[in-house]
Amino acid sequence: MEKKKTILTLEDENEADYSAISGLCELLIKTGKNYDLSKIRRAYLFARDLHSGQYRKSGEEYISHPIAVAELVAGLELDTDSICAALLHDTLEDCGTRVDLAAINESFGPDVAALVDGLTKLVTIQFEDKEEQHIENLRKMFLAMSKDVRVIFIKLCDRLHNMRTLEAKPDDKRRMTALETMHVYAPLAHRLGMQRIKQQLENLALAYLDPIGYREISDDIERRHDLNKDFLARVREQIHDRLTESGLEFLLSGRVKSVYSIYRKMYEQNKSFEEIYDFYALRVLVNTERECYEVLGIIHDMFKMMPGRFKDYISNPKPNMYKSLHTTVMGRGGIPFEVQIRTHAMHKIAEYGVAAHWKYKSGEESPDDLDNKLAWIAKLIETEDGTRDPDEFMQALKIDIFHDETFVFTPKGDIITLPQGATVIDFAYNIHSEIGNKMVGAKVNGMIVPIDRVLQTGEIVEIITSRSSRGPSRDWLKIVCTGEARTKIRSWFKREKRAENIIIGKAEFDRQVRKIWPQCNEAQRSEAALNVSQRFGFSEPDDMFGAIGYGGISLHKLNPKLTEELERLAKAAGTTTSQPGDQQQSDQKPRRHRSTGGVIIDGVEGCQVKFARCCNPVPGDSIVGFVTQGYGVSIHRIDCKNVRMSMSNPEHQDRWLRAVWDSDPNEKSGRAGAFEAALTITAIDSVRLISDITYALADMRVEVIQLNKNKNGTSEVDVHLNISCRSVEHVNSIISRLRGIRDVNRVVRSGYVD
Ligand code: MN
């Protein structure tokens, strides 16, 4: 190597220096974006010098890894700083004390330094094969520690390259890395909508976790693809011709689904390979949303639609921003296949997710769960147009998604989630109330800290306890920020102040007795106290008084039992609790027989309710319940033809129950839009018919559950449609819109008696 160098000119030497990143530079130039190549070259030289003498397990020079990661990052078309950070990402961790953040900051600026720092910190998160909750926290922590979305993108590329080269690692290391990839990295890529990276990660991980299963499925896919090659080619040609005829500008491609997605279906839904019919998918890319529905109409016109397999992710996008139309249809030879229809813009997002495009918008609310948070980033990082202010663009990447949460470790590596501002005391009570009550001090990252210390994400917290602790101090109530800690501290005081609580509780009890039965004597009151306390599960009345004293038993809970006891005692004494002229009100309201599903049924309480498929009742319809054998009560519309028939059958007569919709808004919430209605549309057939219907529904944000077109023996066709709706008013508004579609002659709800 040395020898070679001496015979090169200075210029040649430079060229030789950069030959390792010539592929990377080509990729960057191809994007057509304005990359600072000289900065990227400097970053490469910087990393190469630091990694010199280091080798990967495969025997390659270490620098090959950061270069490969930078190439993947270039594939996402991230900015210059991201490329530099990718090249430098392992310099802090793997090169020991030879370099520090300050040096990177000096040479490449604070942005690159922050990215490299973020990437290095993520290494400290240790994955262990644990339960789902732990893994979910791990994902959150990962995001919280990233601080900048670019850190996640680069980290995913780093992981992808590590997975591609995992073969060189020892066996146990491979398994752990593959598991971590499957449980932490792939789901994150999924939630960020980065399908392309997600699928590669899943497939690579599966190949290590279940090599036999992986091989079996990929062989099966290959076999079946060979078998159906002619069929699929024919179908593709047919679609191609029809779309060309219609004058659309489109891109048609076909692909076999990923090994992992089929693996999951087989094992999670317990299906055989033969039962998974949509192993093959055709994809049609068009220019506009309107054209997507047009193509859908053409596809449904050409092939028979498989019931329940139509998904409109354009009007109902997935939380990760995925938009597309999916439908599974049956080819002429009876072989089903899936068709995905979307615009080019939607496709880019489907492949690269949040990384595809961005623009900053302020003033958005930040929602609670992880999916919503990521969707929120997605919303901030708008997707539709290419115009963006570079400053705003940088801002958008530095969203602190978990600004309201803090993630810290226990000494064992468990992750504890606390609200922002949580202190050491909050942490202690989160672990266990006894840890909190016995706490005398704490260590953060190995150093003793005051117990009112506010915790930061990523810190390791250790609580020092002592048996001789005299318990929490009242001041702690002012320091803690979680309700949990406050409640636990209070309850400690309640326990400690038992004598006082009993006195307060007994006074309250006596007051209630006087209210219910003013004539009650001392002996009767004692007997009532004993009986009621036993009914609450206490061994003596003092325990109950104590509980009443600190609020553990509310009057709301006490009074019904106390009233019953006093009434019993009064009766035994030949009198009643309520005297003539008393204003006493009975607490018992007339009983409502409420059941699940927002329906009230006469004479039945809390039973299972289902909605009949023959008439699909929705709120607002007149309904009636039928007691099924073993499946609860089935709700029909009163005008359902099955009801007419069954009611005339004497054997069924006592199985019909009166039913009404529960108008209580609290009961209904959460079920809004959850009802299914069936419609029959009669129309003159045309190529546009299905696409017009689908488009009208999408425009009204109505979810389609099923859609089928049948010839009805006349010159017209019947379109059977199942949709999701909220109420009868909602259905009626949908019907009237559908009636306005050209060539549509009639729209009715299915299952009526005419
Ligand atoms: Mn790396």
Side-chain angles (χ1 to χ4, degrees):
M1 205 58 186
E2 277 308 305
K3 246 182 196 169
K4 226 179 177 182
K5 253 186 191 170
T6 56
I7 53 163
L8 290 171
T9 66
L10 193 63
E11 219 178 74
D12 287 335
E13 188 181 306
N14 279 337
E15 282 310 307
D17 269 353
Y18 298 125
S19 67
I21 55 164
S22 61
L24 172 64
C25 292
E26 254 170 60
L27 272 172
L28 294 173
I29 292 161
K30 249 202 322 220
T31 63
K33 295 195 175 180
N34 232 342
Y35 281 104
D36 182 349
L37 287 181
S38 84
K39 189 174 182 181
I40 290 166
R41 286 177 165 187
R42 272 198 299 121
Y44 157 67
L45 290 183
F46 191 96
R48 189 197 62 179
D49 289 349
L50 284 165
H51 288 300
S52 78
Q54 290 180 333
Y55 295 89
R56 303 198 87 208
K57 287 264 160 26
S58 60
E60 276 178 293
E61 284 189 64
Y62 195 89
I63 190 68
S64 66
H65 165 65
I67 293 172
V69 175
E71 287 174 357
L72 290 167
V73 173
L76 295 174
E77 302 188 8
L78 296 191
D79 60 349
T80 296
D81 285 349
S82 303
I83 307 281
C84 292
L87 288 166
L88 298 165
H89 81 268
D90 277 335
T91 54
L92 294 184
E93 175 65 15
D94 294 356
C95 303
T97 52
R98 289 155 67 194
V99 68
D100 60 18
L101 215 50
I104 293 178
N105 191 359
E106 201 178 305
S107 307
F108 302 99
D111 269 16
V112 175
L115 291 173
V116 174
D117 187 37
L119 285 157
T120 309
K121 277 191 177 141
L122 289 183
V123 179
T124 61
I125 302 181
Q126 289 299 315
F127 177 79
E128 277 174 79
D129 195 357
K130 280 195 177 163
E131 75 280 15
E132 183 52 31
Q133 187 50 46
H134 175 82
I135 292 165
E136 177 66 17
N137 282 337
L138 205 62
R139 288 180 208 129
K140 281 190 182 172
M141 178 123 188
F142 186 99
L143 290 169
M145 286 181 73
S146 299
K147 298 277 193 240
D148 184 323
V149 188
R150 289 177 297 177
V151 170
I152 305 171
F153 297 155
I154 301 167
K155 191 67 197 176
L156 287 170
C157 293
D158 180 29
R159 176 49 57 115
L160 180 55
H161 186 250
N162 284 335
M163 285 304 294
R164 286 178 179 173
T165 51
L166 195 59
E167 195 61 52
K169 295 264 174 163
D171 245 12
D172 56 327
K173 179 95 180 152
R174 273 190 227 164
R175 192 187 115 78
M176 222 23 149
T177 307
L179 266 179
E180 187 184 44
T181 300
M182 195 63 105
H183 293 305
V184 181
Y185 289 82
L188 279 176
H190 173 70
R191 283 162 152 171
L192 291 164
M194 304 167 84
Q195 287 318 304
R196 196 177 267 209
I197 287 186
K198 174 206 152 199
Q199 275 181 9
Q200 292 180 59
L201 290 174
E202 283 172 347
N203 283 337
L204 287 161
L206 181 65
Y208 286 100
L209 293 173
D210 184 357
I212 296 166
Y214 181 88
R215 183 102 309 265
E216 215 176 322
I217 291 172
S218 54
D219 286 351
D220 270 348
I221 291 175
E222 213 171 300
R223 196 166 35 78
R224 216 158 97 180
H225 188 235
D226 280 349
L227 211 67
N228 296 335
K229 217 164 46 198
D230 295 339
F231 163 80
L232 293 166
R234 204 166 53 245
V235 158
R236 227 176 116 159
E237 204 181 294
Q238 283 171 350
I239 293 175
H240 187 276
D241 291 351
R242 269 291 287 274
L243 294 180
T244 308
E245 256 172 59
S246 70
L248 282 164
E249 200 180 293
F250 64 93
L251 205 70
L252 177 66
S253 61
R255 65 180 184 93
V256 168
K257 292 215 171 162
S258 95
V259 175
Y260 179 69
S261 70
I262 292 173
Y263 182 92
R264 266 187 61 166
K265 278 199 185 123
M266 285 176 67
Y267 291 90
E268 282 174 12
Q269 300 170 20
N270 202 16
K271 286 182 173 169
S272 73
F273 189 75
E274 278 64 34
E275 288 170 279
I276 293 165
Y277 37 76
D278 55 349
F279 82 104
Y280 191 80
L282 276 170
R283 185 182 296 138
V284 185
L285 300 184
V286 287
N287 293 319
T288 66
E289 201 176 296
R290 186 73 182 84
E291 286 169 359
C292 291
Y293 291 100
E294 221 168 295
V295 172
L296 180 72
I298 292 171
I299 300 290
H300 283 168
D301 197 49
M302 292 177 74
F303 304 100
K304 198 169 157 14
M305 182 185 177
M306 297 266 297
R309 302 274 315 173
F310 171 60
K311 297 268 154 44
D312 184 350
Y313 296 122
I314 293 180
S315 49
N316 300 297
K318 289 191 186 181
N320 66 11
M321 307 189 293
Y322 179 81
K323 281 183 170 187
S324 189
L325 299 175
H326 287 191
T327 185
T328 302
V329 294
M330 191 89 85
R332 301 252 187 269
I335 302 170
F337 58 95
E338 189 183 71
V339 185
Q340 302 177 351
I341 307 158
R342 50 189 180 243
T343 65
H344 293 281
M346 292 173 196
H347 183 58
K348 197 164 180 192
I349 295 163
E351 298 272 283
Y352 301 113
V354 178
H357 245 302
W358 29 56
K359 195 176 117 202
Y360 184 70
K361 266 189 191 167
S362 58
E364 294 280 351
E365 287 289 303
S366 63
D368 288 332
D369 66 78
L370 185 57
D371 274 332
N372 279 335
K373 276 181 171 145
L374 292 173
W376 178 63
I377 307 187
K379 245 195 274 169
L380 288 174
I381 303 170
E382 264 289 74
T383 48
E384 73 265 11
D385 60 2
T387 55
R388 61 178 186 232
D389 177 331
D391 287 343
E392 288 184 343
F393 162 64
M394 293 315 299
Q395 270 303 111
L397 300 171
K398 288 183 187 152
I399 302 155
D400 186 358
I401 354 172
F402 294 104
H403 56 82
D404 51 352
E405 279 173 90
T406 305
F407 300 87
V408 290
F409 295 107
T410 67
K412 279 185 195 157
D414 286 332
I415 295 167
I416 303 294
T417 312
L418 294 165
Q420 179 80 35
T423 61
V424 169
I425 308 173
D426 291 295
F427 177 90
Y429 278 102
N430 183 287
I431 303 290
H432 197 280
S433 48
E434 276 313 292
I435 304 271
N437 292 337
K438 298 257 177 278
M439 173 170 70
V440 292
K443 283 183 185 172
V444 167
N445 295 340
M447 311 252 279
I448 299 272
V449 295
I451 55 172
D452 60 353
R453 163 74 145 61
V454 172
L455 298 172
Q456 305 295 325
T457 284
E459 288 179 334
I460 302 165
V461 188
E462 189 181 342
I463 301 297
I464 306 162
T465 57
S466 162
R467 278 193 191 184
S468 56
S469 155
R470 272 182 288 156
S473 128
R474 284 209 179 264
D475 294 341
W476 290 11
L477 287 167
K478 290 178 217 136
I479 298 165
V480 297
C481 85
T482 58
E484 184 183 19
R486 205 167 287 129
T487 310
K488 285 175 174 173
I489 294 168
R490 282 219 183 100
S491 84
W492 184 86
F493 279 106
K494 276 162 202 156
R495 245 185 7 250
E496 295 303 302
K497 303 273 178 198
R498 183 176 150 87
E500 206 177 296
N501 290 329
I502 290 173
I503 295 165
I504 298 168
K506 174 131 181 19
E508 187 60 56
F509 182 85
D510 291 351
R511 197 160 36 242
Q512 294 306 317
V513 170
R514 274 196 303 279
K515 253 170 83 180
I516 297 164
W517 187 17
Q519 285 72 30
C520 176
N521 66 30
E522 187 55 43
Q524 285 160 331
R525 189 164 60 212
S526 306
E527 197 181 339
L530 183 66
N531 291 344
V532 174
S533 71
Q534 277 167 356
R535 287 177 66 178
F536 275 112
F538 294 113
S539 50
E540 51 170 342
D542 272 3
D543 292 339
M544 177 181 70
F545 295 146
I548 296 169
Y550 74 74
I553 293 178
S554 62
L555 296 183
H556 181 70
K557 276 200 232 157
L558 171 71
N559 279 343
K561 290 190 171 71
L562 181 57
T563 307
E564 276 180 38
E565 271 316 309
L566 292 175
E567 275 172 356
R568 204 178 56 79
L569 289 166
K571 209 173 169 187
T575 175
T576 58
T577 54
S578 50
Q579 303 301 308
D582 265 6
Q583 288 299 307
Q584 208 191 321
Q585 291 281 325
S586 163
D587 255 2
Q588 290 192 333
K589 288 182 193 153
R591 277 213 159 157
R592 304 188 75 193
H593 298 294
R594 179 169 298 160
S595 44
T596 53
V599 172
I600 301 167
I601 300 162
D602 258 14
V604 188
E605 193 159 15
C607 70
Q608 188 67 37
V609 159
K610 58 175 189 161
F611 297 101
R613 304 289 308 175
C614 49
C615 56
N616 292 301
V618 304
D621 285 329
S622 301
I623 49 172
V624 64
F626 181 73
V627 181
T628 66
Q629 284 169 337
Y631 294 96
V633 174
S634 162
I635 303 294
H636 291 258
R637 295 203 330 242
I638 276 187
D639 50 10
C640 170
K641 39 189 168 193
N642 291 336
V643 172
R644 295 273 163 104
M645 237 147 56
S646 167
M647 275 185 165
S648 57
N649 179 347
E651 274 175 44
H652 285 177
Q653 242 149 39
D654 52 359
R655 290 169 63 187
W656 287 100
L657 301 172
R658 249 161 39 92
V660 290
W661 296 99
D662 187 353
S663 56
D664 185 342
N666 295 329
E667 285 292 304
K668 264 200 314 200
S669 68
R671 284 199 57 89
F675 294 92
E676 189 172 334
L679 306 178
T680 304
I681 303 170
T682 310
I684 297 161
D685 199 11
S686 74
V687 178
R688 305 187 61 93
L689 179 64
I690 299 293
S691 95
D692 285 343
I693 292 171
T694 315
Y695 190 73
L697 293 167
D699 197 39
M700 290 183 282
R701 295 277 177 265
V702 172
E703 192 197 334
V704 178
I705 298 156
Q706 194 171 327
L707 187 152
N708 268 311
K709 189 173 87 176
N710 298 109
K711 291 204 164 49
N712 65 7
T714 68
S715 58
E716 297 171 320
V717 289
D718 283 340
V719 177
H720 297 286
L721 183 65
N722 283 35
I723 51 168
S724 171
C725 69
R726 296 186 295 272
S727 64
V728 70
E729 292 82 22
H730 188 209
V731 179
N732 288 340
S733 76
I734 295 165
I735 290 177
S736 76
R737 167 84 183 259
L738 293 174
R739 281 182 180 146
I741 293 173
R742 196 175 50 174
D743 297 333
V744 167
N745 294 333
R746 272 184 310 286
V747 184
V748 291
R749 282 180 69 189
S750 318
Y752 260 114
V753 186
D754 282 325

